[in-house]
Amino acid sequence: MKACIAVIGAGGKTTAVRSLAHRLSGFSVLWTTTTHIYPAAPGDCRLLLRAPAPDALAAALAVPGVVCAGTPAGEKVTALSPEGWAASCKAADYIVCEADGAHRLPLKLHRTDEPVLPAETTHVLIVLGLSALGRPVGEVVHRYALHPAWAAHPAAPVGVAELCLCAKEAAARCGVPKENIRLLFNQADDKTRMEAGRQAAGALSRQGFACRVEALQKDDAFLAPWVLWE
């Protein structure tokens, strides 16, 4: 395996996973999760496998292309079996794993048992949604009440300081070195969001984090090379 990329945070995780899988599809790629995701759409993967036997999964990953695999959980899929995961680590060139949940909100805080990073993780991409700017923390931050001040004042608006807090909290939860982490301020769809994202990225860059301010829906070509340091 060349790399196992864990994607966490909020505000574009699934878009980021789709982008990474697509851009790496000249290799053998596993698209999976340690939490719960909707399976990849047919156009986004070569093959969708639900609860595959380890040998079948390894065979599917023996050729280039994107294989989405997991254990059925209603309309979604959850983590592979330990045996399936072990087979994937041996067979795939790249694993792209959504390792966090945010209930479709643009920002989040983490419980002590989150995120759920695979032990084999080599790279972490943290996504933060700039659509949260100016809106109440209680409406746009998943698990906002984990922060005492936000729990007491859920109407407080999201600004640059709040973006930075969510970014640093996520990075601290990863338990991996800063050089293995990328912070993506996504949804920079207008000048206001772009400027706030640049302010947050600048502050965190001075603390040693690698940051980008982008709009993945408009341009994702940068993502895979940046995450993989190429």
Side-chain angles (χ1 to χ4, degrees), residues 93-105:
D93 292 320
Y94 291 96
I95 295 177
V96 184
C97 180
E98 192 165 328
D100 213 352
H103 286 204
R104 299 183 180 273
L105 295 176

Side-chain angles (χ1 to χ4, degrees), residues 115-139:
V116 187
L117 267 63
E120 294 81 3
T121 298
T122 58
H123 304 70
V124 177
L125 172 63
I126 301 173
V127 185
L128 302 108
L130 292 170
S131 63
L133 282 167
R135 300 166 64 189
V137 291
E139 295 181 7

